[in-house]
Amino acid sequence: MQKVKIPRAVDPAKTAQKRLDYDGIIQVSLFKRLFESVESVKRDAEVSLSFGLDEQRLVVISGKANIEVGLECQRCNEVFAHECEVQFTYTPYYSEKSEEDAPEEYDLVDLNEYGEVDLIQLVEDEFILSLPQVAMHDESECSVKSDNLVFGEIPEEIVEDKPNPFDVLKSLKK
């Protein structure tokens, strides 16, 4: 099956009534904020979206997406490949009533000025949220081993005999 480009924005109510599914790609050039958060983006995002109505007749946008990015390891400062895989379920935010009616497992998504959901931004937000807080290789792949890390006290060979700057105050006290 050929991968097609995911539309930039859709009207969620109309799309859900038609029960449309999208299976395609989002080009890396559209992920401006993701580029700022990582070292590199390796390939286009593979995205699968489904629109429908649930038992409460709420519009539901569910999907999954994956992309490969390059992150800088915070232990050894080398770039490594990281696979971001996300799954999500959204319902559009129309009013405060829609916030009250939405089940806990649904996240709310804002509509733009035309009453549409920006799918590119929605998927990009999910990728950014799935990035690790502290990016590190798996310890077996990292060039810096945990044996070489120093925690707590500084080894004596690093500490030099520096004069105490407060020794001058002792002479004033006399």
Side-chain angles (χ1 to χ4, degrees):
M1 183 164 122
Q2 181 183 0
K3 295 281 185 181
V4 296
K5 292 181 185 175
I6 299 292
R8 187 171 216 27
V10 295
D11 182 326
K14 289 179 183 175
T15 311
Q17 288 174 347
K18 295 177 185 176
R19 298 191 185 283
L20 291 179
D21 295 331
Y22 293 104
D23 190 21
I25 61 166
I26 298 176
Q27 295 173 317
V28 294
S29 60
L30 299 173
F31 293 134
K32 306 280 188 241
R33 292 177 299 129
L34 183 62
F35 267 110
E36 296 170 3
S37 304
V38 298
E39 290 295 315
S40 63
V41 180
K42 307 278 187 191
R43 61 173 169 79
D44 293 339
E46 296 175 8
V47 181
S48 188
L49 296 167
S50 295
F51 293 81
L53 300 172
D54 68 358
E55 298 81 29
Q56 296 178 321
R57 307 290 298 158
L58 291 173
V59 173
V60 177
I61 305 165
S62 59
K64 58 184 178 178
N66 67 64
I67 195 168
E68 189 175 341
V69 296
L71 299 175
E72 183 179 351
C73 178
Q74 298 301 302
R75 248 189 311 238
C76 65
N77 294 330
E78 293 177 12
V79 177
F80 68 98
H82 176 73
E83 184 82 20
C84 289
E85 291 190 28
V86 295
Q87 287 189 314
F88 47 86
T89 306
Y90 285 97
T91 189
Y93 178 82
Y94 296 109
S95 66
E96 294 205 15
K97 182 167 178 8
S98 63
E99 186 174 4
E100 295 167 7
D101 292 343
E104 279 185 30
E105 55 269 7
Y106 296 174
D107 290 322
L108 295 173
V109 63
D110 290 325
L111 303 175
N112 64 16
E113 60 270 11
Y114 306 111
E116 298 177 331
V117 172
D118 186 339
L119 297 177
I120 309 298
Q121 181 179 348
L122 183 133
V123 172
E124 184 177 31
D125 288 345
E126 286 293 326
F127 284 143
I128 291 171
L129 289 172
S130 75
L131 292 174
Q133 285 185 339
V134 179
M136 287 189 283
H137 282 106
D138 187 60
E139 197 169 326
S140 62
E141 298 172 5
C142 194
S143 62
V144 176
K145 301 297 177 206
S146 62
D147 301 342
N148 297 340
L149 298 176
V150 177
F151 297 99
E153 295 184 26
I154 299 174
E156 289 182 27
E157 60 266 7
I158 295 177
V159 178
E160 299 174 12
D161 290 329
K162 292 185 179 179
N164 186 346
F166 297 104
D167 285 343
V168 175
L169 296 176
K170 289 180 183 176
S171 67
L172 292 175
K173 189 176 178 183
K174 292 180 182 178

